[in-house]
Amino acid sequence: NCDPYPLQFFKSQGYRDGPGNPVKCTFEGSLKDLLIYTKPRQPKKVFYQQLNIKISDLENKRQFKCSWVNGKLKDERELVLYPDKNGRVSDLLDEARKQVELADKGAGKLRLLEII
């Protein structure tokens, strides 16, 4: 028994044993509609993942993975951020600020650097 809102379900793929496209939180179909693409005489599988945020919030946001490095370039940590799809860079930095601890003697500001 768990809270269903932080769960994201995926349609199954008939040609390989793995998750397909995600199911929207407004999906009105039945379980049979999700399993329509499975091969006959094969076990039916439902794929899902547990999220840190509600699925309805996730659909209005974009997942953004980045690396955070401290001022001395010694500590590195991967961050998974969820800014709004139509957000700005400042929104992305605000999301990152919630997950990192800035140094007391530092400037208290974050910089975004793109490495290609």
Side-chain angles (χ1 to χ4, degrees):
N1 193 8
C2 71
D3 183 12
Y5 294 108
L7 296 178
Q8 181 179 35
F9 291 92
F10 297 88
K11 294 180 181 178
S12 59
Q13 293 182 351
Y15 57 89
R16 71 179 186 101
D17 189 26
N21 295 327
V23 177
K24 293 212 176 263
C25 69
T26 56
F27 180 72
E28 300 259 340
S30 66
L31 185 57
K32 184 178 179 181
D33 296 334
L34 291 177
L35 301 173
I36 210 164
Y37 300 109
T38 57
K39 294 177 185 176
R41 297 190 184 114
Q42 290 264 331
K44 309 288 190 233
K45 294 182 180 178
V46 175
F47 296 93
Y48 72 95
Q49 69 176 344
Q50 190 166 3
L51 304 169
N52 294 330
I53 62 175
K54 291 182 178 182
I55 185 65
S56 57
D57 293 341
L58 177 68
E59 290 180 359
N60 296 321
K61 298 180 180 284
R62 181 173 304 267
Q63 186 181 44
F64 187 89
K65 289 185 181 181
C66 64
S67 295
W68 177 79
V69 182
N70 72 353
K72 296 179 181 178
L73 303 176
K74 294 198 177 200
D75 295 331
E76 183 175 341
R77 190 170 91 203
E78 183 179 83
L79 303 178
V80 180
L81 309 174
Y82 295 98
D84 288 333
K85 284 185 177 179
N86 299 322
R88 299 174 182 219
V89 173
S90 60
D91 298 329
L92 185 67
L93 293 173
D94 289 341
E95 286 289 317
R97 193 170 281 113
K98 294 175 189 175
Q99 294 188 27
V100 298
E101 191 172 315
L102 300 175
D104 293 334
K105 297 178 182 178
K109 296 182 180 181
L110 294 174
R111 289 186 291 170
L112 184 65
L113 175 65
E114 180 181 17
I115 300 175
I116 299 176

